[in-house]
Amino acid sequence: MAIRKFKDKHPQTGNNVYIDDSAVVIGDVTLGDDVSIWPTVVVRGDVESISIGAQTNVQDGSVLHVSHAGDFSPQGYPLAIGRCVTIGHRAVVHACSVGDYCLVGIGAIIMDGAVLEDYVMLGAGALVPPGKKLESGYLYVGAPAKQVRPLSDEEKRFLEYSARHYVQLKDEHRAELGLD
């Protein structure tokens, strides 16, 4: 597992976490129980904190980072990701807040200070501009991301299923590597 400290900050991991050998987790990062970090993911908490809730999966090639406190953002921006979130391949999740049971589509970008409430589905390739708030229970698509329609009950169940599926897949990878 490629876990590295930065200055005096060491990543903290919960129980049964999986971090692929090609991924990098650096600095002030907290991973909840059953989190999975897949190949070539970068989670870089070097200038602010990153927290990822239990049973969240961050898929291949995604980049998670933060913004430092400085002249242009006096307070800085940490990154907070809730429980049971699915972050699709090649997503960029930067210095924002993502609620529980969200799906961040393949190649989506979420910028500084944006907020995704619980049960948000963000389409592939969507761009959430800085400071934008996405309301719970809706599908958002486009660049910039726009609310399209309410999520169906089936789509909400899918968000829950996706998290469970990735916990199971993570457990299979851990077993294959002899980590259990």
Side-chain angles (χ1 to χ4, degrees):
M1 293 189 196
I3 299 176
R4 298 196 325 239
K5 73 178 186 98
F6 181 74
K7 296 185 179 178
D8 63 340
K9 302 292 184 179
H10 298 264
Q12 304 296 311
T13 61
N15 296 316
N16 300 313
V17 167
Y18 172 73
I19 302 171
D20 187 84
D21 286 339
S22 67
V24 180
V25 178
I26 302 169
D28 191 1
V29 175
T30 303
L31 306 178
D33 294 344
D34 291 310
V35 165
S36 56
I37 306 293
W38 295 93
T40 70
V41 167
V42 175
V43 181
R44 184 160 54 100
D46 52 359
V47 296
E48 263 292 350
S49 66
I50 295 175
S51 63
I52 301 175
Q55 300 180 16
T56 287
N57 63 89
V58 184
Q59 297 176 16
D60 315 57
S62 293
V63 175
L64 282 59
H65 193 230
V66 291
S67 286
H68 71 283
D71 293 345
F72 296 96
S73 61
Q75 74 282 6
Y77 288 102
L79 173 57
I81 298 171
R83 299 174 39 85
C84 301
V85 173
T86 295
I87 298 177
H89 312 283
R90 271 193 328 97
V92 176
V93 183
H94 199 272
C96 60
S97 177
V98 178
D100 298 339
Y101 296 102
C102 290
L103 180 135
V104 176
I106 293 169
I109 299 171
I110 308 171
M111 298 300 298
D112 296 30
V115 175
L116 277 64
E117 294 182 343
D118 297 345
Y119 287 95
V120 166
M121 190 177 286
L122 181 62
L127 169 65
V128 182
K132 183 165 181 149
K133 183 175 182 180
L134 305 187
E135 185 180 351
S136 179
Y138 287 90
L139 169 65
Y140 293 82
V141 299
K146 293 186 174 138
Q147 189 181 95
V148 176
R149 61 172 172 75
L151 296 177
S152 68
D153 289 341
E154 184 176 353
E155 288 168 324
K156 289 177 184 176
R157 285 192 303 276
F158 171 77
L159 296 174
E160 296 165 1
Y161 163 82
S162 182
R164 285 192 312 273
H165 165 73
Y166 267 91
V167 168
Q168 179 183 347
L169 184 59
K170 176 260 317 166
D171 288 343
E172 292 171 9
H173 278 262
R174 283 179 55 89
E176 187 80 14
L177 293 170
L179 298 174
D180 288 331

